[in-house]
Amino acid sequence: MKITVYLGSSEGNDPSLKKAVKELGAWIGESGSTLVYGGSKNGLMGEIAKSVLDAGGKVIGVEAQLFFDEDLQYEGLTELVVAKNIPERKTRMIELGDAFIAFPGGTGTLEEISEVISMVSLKQLDAPCIIYNLNGYYNALKALLEHMIEKGLSSEEKLQGIFFADSLERIKEILNKDPEIPRNE
């Protein structure tokens, strides 16, 4: 399985993020899955790549030319795809993924997972979309999606395949079990 993970190129100021991203990366590598991510050596992005590789896994980095030109790519990736720009990078990361995880991140992470949420909602993408709600990081996003349903602008049916997970164990359950698992458990 190729798991696309969206996350920040900085570490943030919460030490639990670094610990959790290393655990996620180790599990991806040990499970025989391949990580697809933004290709950077910096921050949480660099940590997940290192963790997957250290666990014997494969890592495909998809980096936009502008970041490649700044020499921000992680050395030693299994494969590096250089996209001409950010939109092409996003498209390639979606094309390569069998499952998608949004780890806590910044505006880029939000933008990338929003595209996946939209594609899953419109049935243009048949893959699990997991929002890693570590320490309640994405509580506001979860509330917004529920608010959209309350206001009749979305529906439970449209959000099938979109899951909020508060732990790595929950992510494992979602990816290893029936896709009909309720998204809000």
Side-chain angles (χ1 to χ4, degrees), residues 51-111:
S51 298
V52 173
L53 291 168
D54 286 351
K58 295 179 182 176
V59 179
I60 301 171
V62 183
E63 193 160 61
Q65 184 69 51
L66 71 116
F67 299 131
F68 182 79
D69 292 345
E70 293 179 24
D71 196 31
L72 297 177
Q73 67 277 5
Y74 190 98
E75 296 297 325
L77 298 174
T78 309
E79 181 181 348
L80 177 64
V81 177
V82 180
K84 66 181 179 182
N85 54 38
I86 299 291
E88 183 180 294
R89 174 190 185 202
K90 290 189 317 177
T91 298
R92 290 293 295 139
M93 289 176 74
I94 291 170
E95 289 172 348
L96 290 168
D98 299 311
F100 301 85
I101 298 173
F103 193 83
T107 55
T109 301
L110 181 61
E111 189 231 352

